[in-house]
């Protein structure tokens, strides 16, 4: 948390509020929130005077193109650089007035012309920010971008791709869905939801899935993420959009965080197990686990 729908919700909010806004300064309240550059002065001075052109999302990363150039569809070098953000577990970006009360866990403040500011708030302090200098590709500074698999909504996330990728993997399908090198942006919540709607238990080995099951799962991943984006993401504890509004998908969830509650389809109590150190929620009746051949 946040996962792709939450990050996409934040991206849309940032594009609605911060674009064409000029950064006139800032302050770093917790230096380890900066991934690059290491020094707060370099981070703030690198962006000072630049406007935000547009925000992109890649997996769970947010990347803002800086400057006045035409919008860039790919994350390549630009004349004015980039601002990168990874929210990790509890990060938030909030669009505020400077006189608004300062949240206890505010880590970075960026001041904009017009008496507004963008605050990076992070309780657990795992989130990170990057300034990518001019004429530099974000991938060379935000190196985590290099290992990401295809976006769920992209043509690259095809049935053929997923079938060939999963065919020989002897790991649980839930674990595979959380692997960002296989598909970018899917996390614990939406993996559970997609598996439920596909009728596949989280413990099923990838190599045991039929092509039809994989194709069905791929479509459910796309559909579940789309529905969650339309609902503004999921708020369980910390997630808020840039104006402080909670997401609404949690109340619609089929299985996630519903341990012991009746399945919305068959009434069987939802079960929860630990898988790879993460909680997995599923319906034992709707997602039967066949014996290993």
């Amino acid at each position: 948390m946040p996962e792709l729908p939450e990050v996409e919700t934040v991206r849309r909010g940032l594009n609605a509020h911060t674009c064409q806004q000029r950064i006139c300064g800032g302050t770093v309240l917790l230096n380890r929130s900066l991934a690059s550059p290491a020094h707060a002065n370099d981070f703030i001075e690198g962006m000072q005077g630049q406007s935000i052109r547009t925000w992109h999302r890649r997996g769970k990363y947010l990347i803002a193109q800086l400057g006045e150039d035409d919008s860039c569809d790919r994350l390549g070098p630009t004349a004015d650089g980039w601002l990168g953000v990874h929210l990790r577990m509890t990060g938030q970006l909030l669009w505020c007035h400077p006189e608004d009360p300062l949240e206890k866990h505010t880590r970075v403040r960026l001041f904009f012309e017009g008496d507004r500011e963008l605050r990076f708030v992070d309780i657990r302090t795992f989130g990170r920010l990057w300034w990518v200098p001019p004429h530099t590709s974000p991938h060379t500074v935000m190196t985590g971008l290099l290992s990401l698999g295809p976006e769920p909504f992209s043509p690259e996330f095809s049935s053929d791709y997923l079938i060939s990728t999963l065919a020989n993997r002897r790991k649980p399908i839930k674990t595979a869905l959380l692997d960002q090198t296989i598909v970018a942006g899917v996390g614990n919540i939406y993996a559970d939801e997609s598996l439920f709607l596909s009728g596949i238990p989280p413990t099923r080995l990838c190599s045991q899935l039929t092509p039809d099951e994989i194709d069905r799962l791929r479509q459910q991943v796309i559909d579940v993420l789309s529905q969650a984006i339309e609902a503004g993401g999921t708020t369980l504890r910390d997630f808020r959009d840039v104006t402080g509004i909670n997401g609404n998908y949690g109340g619609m969830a089929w299985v996630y965080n519903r341990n012991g509650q009746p399945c919305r389809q068959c009434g069987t109590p939802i079960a929860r197990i630990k898988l790879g150190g993460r909680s997995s929620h599923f319906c034992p009746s709707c997602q039967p686990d066949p014996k290993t051949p």
Side-chain angles (χ1 to χ4, degrees):
M1 259 290 284
E3 302 177 24
L4 186 153
E6 290 76 44
V7 179
E8 177 63 18
T9 297
V10 172
R11 186 194 71 83
R12 294 182 181 189
L14 290 168
N15 273 337
H17 292 284
T18 70
C19 287
Q20 313 309 320
Q21 304 288 332
R22 190 175 301 278
I23 299 169
C24 58
T27 182
V28 176
L29 304 177
L30 184 69
N31 206 68
R32 71 169 177 269
S33 292
L34 302 182
S36 182
H39 298 292
N41 286 344
D42 295 336
F43 177 80
I44 298 298
E45 290 174 5
M47 291 181 291
Q48 192 159 344
Q50 298 288 359
S51 296
I52 291 181
R53 177 71 185 183
T54 189
W55 287 87
H56 298 264
R57 181 192 55 76
R58 180 70 174 99
K60 301 177 188 180
Y61 290 85
L62 290 161
I63 311 105
Q65 181 184 348
L66 303 176
E68 304 295 336
D69 294 342
D70 289 338
S71 181
C72 183
D73 290 332
R74 62 182 182 84
L75 301 179
T78 62
D80 300 293
W82 301 82
L83 166 64
V85 183
H86 199 310
L87 301 175
R88 299 279 170 83
M89 291 183 66
T90 59
Q92 302 170 3
L93 287 171
L94 300 177
W95 185 241
C96 308
H97 291 283
E99 64 269 19
D100 291 342
L102 194 66
E103 294 83 352
K104 177 181 178 181
H105 302 290
T106 301
R107 309 305 183 187
V108 178
R109 303 171 69 184
L110 293 178
F111 306 130
F112 288 77
E113 292 179 348
D115 201 32
R116 298 303 294 263
E117 69 175 271
L118 186 64
R119 296 177 182 172
F120 178 63
V121 180
D122 189 13
I123 297 173
R124 298 289 296 276
T125 72
F126 295 135
R128 293 293 181 266
L129 284 74
W130 295 258
W131 172 61
V132 179
H135 311 294
T136 304
S137 170
H139 297 82
T140 64
V141 178
M142 303 169 64
T143 54
L145 295 171
L146 295 170
S147 62
L148 293 179
E151 290 286 320
F153 303 118
S154 70
E156 290 75 23
F157 188 61
S158 65
S159 293
D160 288 343
Y161 161 77
L162 200 56
I163 289 168
S164 63
T165 299
L166 299 179
N168 298 315
R169 294 177 184 258
R170 293 194 57 81
K171 64 166 61 175
I173 181 59
K174 170 67 180 291
T175 304
L177 287 177
L178 299 182
D179 185 341
Q180 300 299 293
T181 68
I182 293 177
V183 55
V186 178
N188 212 31
I189 297 172
Y190 304 109
D192 280 355
E193 296 289 281
S194 302
L195 287 167
F196 170 78
L197 291 169
S198 304
I200 299 170
T203 52
R204 186 94 169 272
L205 297 183
C206 299
S207 57
Q208 295 174 337
L209 295 172
T210 67
D212 285 345
E213 287 175 319
I214 294 174
D215 182 61
R216 185 166 71 243
L217 175 59
R218 170 190 162 274
Q219 190 57 55
Q220 290 298 343
V221 166
I222 294 170
D223 291 348
V224 165
L225 293 175
S226 297
Q227 292 165 14
I229 290 169
E230 291 305 311
T234 300
T235 296
L236 295 177
R237 288 179 296 273
D238 306 303
F239 172 70
R240 291 180 288 167
D241 71 9
V242 297
T243 60
I245 302 300
N246 291 343
N248 295 315
Y249 183 83
M252 303 160 51
W254 291 93
V255 292
Y256 186 79
N257 207 37
R258 298 190 65 242
N259 182 41
Q261 299 181 43
C263 173
R264 299 189 194 277
Q265 287 193 155
C266 73
T268 301
I270 298 300
R272 181 179 64 194
I273 60 172
K274 284 287 187 178
L275 194 61
R278 307 291 297 277
S279 292
S280 291
H281 303 80
F282 65 100
C283 173
S285 296
C286 296
Q287 297 165 268
D289 194 357
K291 292 182 179 180
T292 302

